[in-house]
Amino acid sequence: MIVLPAIVYYLYFCVAFNGGDLIPGRRADWHGFLGAIRPTFGALAAYLAWVVFQALLFLALPGRTVEGLPLKDGSRLRYRLNGLAALLVTLVALGAVQAAGVFSLTWIHDQFGALLSVITLFSFAFALFTYYWGRAYPGESPRGRGDFLTDYFLGTALNPRLPHVTGFDLKFFFESRPGLVGWVVVDLALAATQVERHGTLTLSMALVVSLQVLYVISYFWSEQGVLSMIDIRTENFGWMLIYGDTALVPMVYSLQAFYLIDHVPVLPSWIAALVLVLFFTGFYIFRAANAQKHRFRRDPQACRVWGRPAAYLMTSRGTLLLISGLWGLARHPNYLGDWLIAISWSLPTLFGSVVPYFYPLWMTALLLNRERRDDHWCEEKYGSDWQRYRERVPWRIVPRIY
Ligand code: NDP
């Protein structure tokens, strides 16, 4: 909770006040950096308005209502899926205020440091709120561990809703809306800053922004699949998820675009081609793996994978584990896809600095850690059946390598 926000600030220093380099050099402007990260009322008002705007879209826009996966007591929460509509309305609204001259996207770049501080403070305060809310309404899963720091970090409630059970789903909302939609907006703001500064949009910038926007669209396109993500079904809603969703996603996943504002005027075409190959290979693996598991879990008997009936292991819990298609090659093939995508977003920055490679490095740590934790949970859940599954599918993420 101390080191990660410090790293995030440092990354901002690197791209905005150190010429994109990792080590402070002659170009380092500490004074400018310290001035820029001072929270301002403008940034606070803008961020709160942003969260409220997204919450209104979340509540008001139409969308299919679906049931989540069964909770421990067998009940299911209901969710309205209107993320794609929220993204579209946001972009149209942004285009309108920009065209009317009421707001300029580049303001987000200029206020980036102040916004980062506001979001950081918000995430700490909001995590405190969810900590107490979870203790007051432990609900279906009283899973807090007892000591304040651990519970504050990991959360005390699985699905905090205001009001309890029937109300506004805080985790489902924060998992995507202010952060993921915000990431698209920040990316566009950084691209607009490049155009304003240099009078051109480079191929590198166009690639990074368009591929990241495609990723976010695909997230909302398959929004129902999100309900089976570990974040929604297993993790409590504490500082870890809150900081990741509100700060890391919009302010760090956009790091490559920030770096590109003043770098890489010309991208060699073979690298552009490599970027596309890596991205679409990763995208295929990521989407196909998640879709195969999703289709299988919905109707195991009717599910066909790669033209054949799905093969599976039966567990004594009654749940089936898919061992066909990508899930027969590794136990988390979807993580490999995500990692290839991460690399493809950093390659357009070329090799002048390690800073824009933070995202793939971060994803490596995140996915390795996540796979271990999921393996542990599944071992607890499935016991000897999981051991059988491990023998049948021995590779964790990358077939024949890891
Ligand atoms: P998964 O979607 O892989 O879900 C893991 C769960 O699936 C297990 O706990 C188990 O739960 C079930 N499962 C495991 N093996 C099988 C099998 N063979 N057949 C059927 N069910 C199985 O994990 P995540 O929620 O971590 O990831 C979802 C996606 O989100 C991934 O593509 C990931 O890369 C992406 N992601 C992206 C992040 C980012 O910041 N860009 C961050 C985190 C994730 P059970 O059996 O109880 O159903």
Side-chain angles (χ1 to χ4, degrees), residues 39 86 102 121 136 166 296 332 380 400:
V102 179
L121 293 172
T166 52
F296 171 73
H332 265 107
E380 279 184 350
R400 299 189 178 282

PDB file of all heavy atoms in Angstrom, residues 39 86 102 121 136 166 296 332 380 400:
ATOM      1  N   PRO A  39      -2.632  17.913  -5.047  1.00  0.00           N
ATOM      2  CA  PRO A  39      -4.042  17.801  -5.419  1.00  0.00           C
ATOM      3  C   PRO A  39      -4.682  19.183  -5.509  1.00  0.00           C
ATOM      4  O   PRO A  39      -4.339  20.068  -4.725  1.00  0.00           O
ATOM      5  CB  PRO A  39      -4.665  17.001  -4.263  1.00  0.00           C
ATOM      6  CG  PRO A  39      -3.595  16.725  -3.284  1.00  0.00           C
ATOM      7  CD  PRO A  39      -2.315  17.327  -3.741  1.00  0.00           C
ATOM      8  N   ALA A  86     -22.429   2.521 -21.800  1.00  0.00           N
ATOM      9  CA  ALA A  86     -21.809   3.573 -20.976  1.00  0.00           C
ATOM     10  C   ALA A  86     -20.564   4.127 -21.667  1.00  0.00           C
ATOM     11  O   ALA A  86     -20.330   5.339 -21.681  1.00  0.00           O
ATOM     12  CB  ALA A  86     -21.462   3.023 -19.597  1.00  0.00           C
ATOM     13  N   VAL A 102     -16.181  23.552 -24.450  1.00  0.00           N
ATOM     14  CA  VAL A 102     -16.386  23.644 -23.001  1.00  0.00           C
ATOM     15  C   VAL A 102     -15.233  22.970 -22.252  1.00  0.00           C
ATOM     16  O   VAL A 102     -14.882  23.353 -21.141  1.00  0.00           O
ATOM     17  CB  VAL A 102     -17.718  22.932 -22.613  1.00  0.00           C
ATOM     18  CG1 VAL A 102     -17.967  22.986 -21.112  1.00  0.00           C
ATOM     19  CG2 VAL A 102     -18.867  23.508 -23.396  1.00  0.00           C
ATOM     20  N   LEU A 121      -5.816   9.372  -3.072  1.00  0.00           N
ATOM     21  CA  LEU A 121      -6.487   9.674  -1.798  1.00  0.00           C
ATOM     22  C   LEU A 121      -7.885   9.051  -1.776  1.00  0.00           C
ATOM     23  O   LEU A 121      -8.314   8.482  -0.776  1.00  0.00           O
ATOM     24  CB  LEU A 121      -6.590  11.200  -1.603  1.00  0.00           C
ATOM     25  CG  LEU A 121      -5.248  11.911  -1.390  1.00  0.00           C
ATOM     26  CD1 LEU A 121      -5.428  13.430  -1.397  1.00  0.00           C
ATOM     27  CD2 LEU A 121      -4.621  11.453  -0.060  1.00  0.00           C
ATOM     28  N   ALA A 136     -20.095  -4.146   8.756  1.00  0.00           N
ATOM     29  CA  ALA A 136     -21.488  -3.964   9.172  1.00  0.00           C
ATOM     30  C   ALA A 136     -22.401  -4.956   8.462  1.00  0.00           C
ATOM     31  O   ALA A 136     -23.383  -5.428   9.026  1.00  0.00           O
ATOM     32  CB  ALA A 136     -21.929  -2.530   8.869  1.00  0.00           C
ATOM     33  N   THR A 166     -29.742  -5.632  -2.520  1.00  0.00           N
ATOM     34  CA  THR A 166     -30.531  -5.236  -3.686  1.00  0.00           C
ATOM     35  C   THR A 166     -29.958  -4.010  -4.397  1.00  0.00           C
ATOM     36  O   THR A 166     -30.372  -3.700  -5.514  1.00  0.00           O
ATOM     37  CB  THR A 166     -31.969  -4.878  -3.241  1.00  0.00           C
ATOM     38  OG1 THR A 166     -31.851  -3.930  -2.186  1.00  0.00           O
ATOM     39  CG2 THR A 166     -32.717  -6.105  -2.773  1.00  0.00           C
ATOM     40  N   PHE A 296     -18.522 -23.757 -21.933  1.00  0.00           N
ATOM     41  CA  PHE A 296     -18.509 -25.075 -21.305  1.00  0.00           C
ATOM     42  C   PHE A 296     -19.285 -25.063 -19.986  1.00  0.00           C
ATOM     43  O   PHE A 296     -20.117 -25.930 -19.721  1.00  0.00           O
ATOM     44  CB  PHE A 296     -17.059 -25.517 -21.067  1.00  0.00           C
ATOM     45  CG  PHE A 296     -16.941 -26.762 -20.244  1.00  0.00           C
ATOM     46  CD1 PHE A 296     -17.272 -27.999 -20.786  1.00  0.00           C
ATOM     47  CD2 PHE A 296     -16.516 -26.703 -18.918  1.00  0.00           C
ATOM     48  CE1 PHE A 296     -17.169 -29.156 -20.021  1.00  0.00           C
ATOM     49  CE2 PHE A 296     -16.418 -27.855 -18.151  1.00  0.00           C
ATOM     50  CZ  PHE A 296     -16.748 -29.084 -18.703  1.00  0.00           C
ATOM     51  N   HIS A 332      -3.979 -22.204 -17.246  1.00  0.00           N
ATOM     52  CA  HIS A 332      -4.437 -20.811 -17.385  1.00  0.00           C
ATOM     53  C   HIS A 332      -4.012 -20.240 -18.730  1.00  0.00           C
ATOM     54  O   HIS A 332      -3.236 -19.266 -18.781  1.00  0.00           O
ATOM     55  CB  HIS A 332      -3.879 -19.943 -16.246  1.00  0.00           C
ATOM     56  CG  HIS A 332      -4.816 -19.816 -15.106  1.00  0.00           C
ATOM     57  ND1 HIS A 332      -4.627 -20.439 -13.906  1.00  0.00           N
ATOM     58  CD2 HIS A 332      -5.995 -19.154 -14.996  1.00  0.00           C
ATOM     59  CE1 HIS A 332      -5.626 -20.170 -13.108  1.00  0.00           C
ATOM     60  NE2 HIS A 332      -6.480 -19.396 -13.742  1.00  0.00           N
ATOM     61  N   GLU A 380      -7.819 -26.177  -2.481  1.00  0.00           N
ATOM     62  CA  GLU A 380      -8.689 -26.228  -1.291  1.00  0.00           C
ATOM     63  C   GLU A 380     -10.090 -26.682  -1.663  1.00  0.00           C
ATOM     64  O   GLU A 380     -10.729 -27.448  -0.966  1.00  0.00           O
ATOM     65  CB  GLU A 380      -8.788 -24.837  -0.660  1.00  0.00           C
ATOM     66  CG  GLU A 380      -7.606 -24.497   0.213  1.00  0.00           C
ATOM     67  CD  GLU A 380      -7.792 -23.143   0.910  1.00  0.00           C
ATOM     68  OE1 GLU A 380      -8.744 -22.411   0.570  1.00  0.00           O
ATOM     69  OE2 GLU A 380      -6.950 -22.833   1.770  1.00  0.00           O
ATOM     70  N   ARG A 400       4.521 -26.555 -22.212  1.00  0.00           N
ATOM     71  CA  ARG A 400       5.900 -27.062 -22.352  1.00  0.00           C
ATOM     72  C   ARG A 400       6.970 -26.110 -21.818  1.00  0.00           C
ATOM     73  O   ARG A 400       8.151 -26.386 -21.916  1.00  0.00           O
ATOM     74  CB  ARG A 400       6.227 -27.404 -23.813  1.00  0.00           C
ATOM     75  CG  ARG A 400       5.328 -28.478 -24.334  1.00  0.00           C
ATOM     76  CD  ARG A 400       5.720 -29.008 -25.669  1.00  0.00           C
ATOM     77  NE  ARG A 400       4.795 -30.075 -26.027  1.00  0.00           N
ATOM     78  CZ  ARG A 400       4.850 -31.306 -25.556  1.00  0.00           C
ATOM     79  NH1 ARG A 400       5.807 -31.661 -24.739  1.00  0.00           N
ATOM     80  NH2 ARG A 400       3.947 -32.203 -25.897  1.00  0.00           N
TER      81      ARG A 400
END
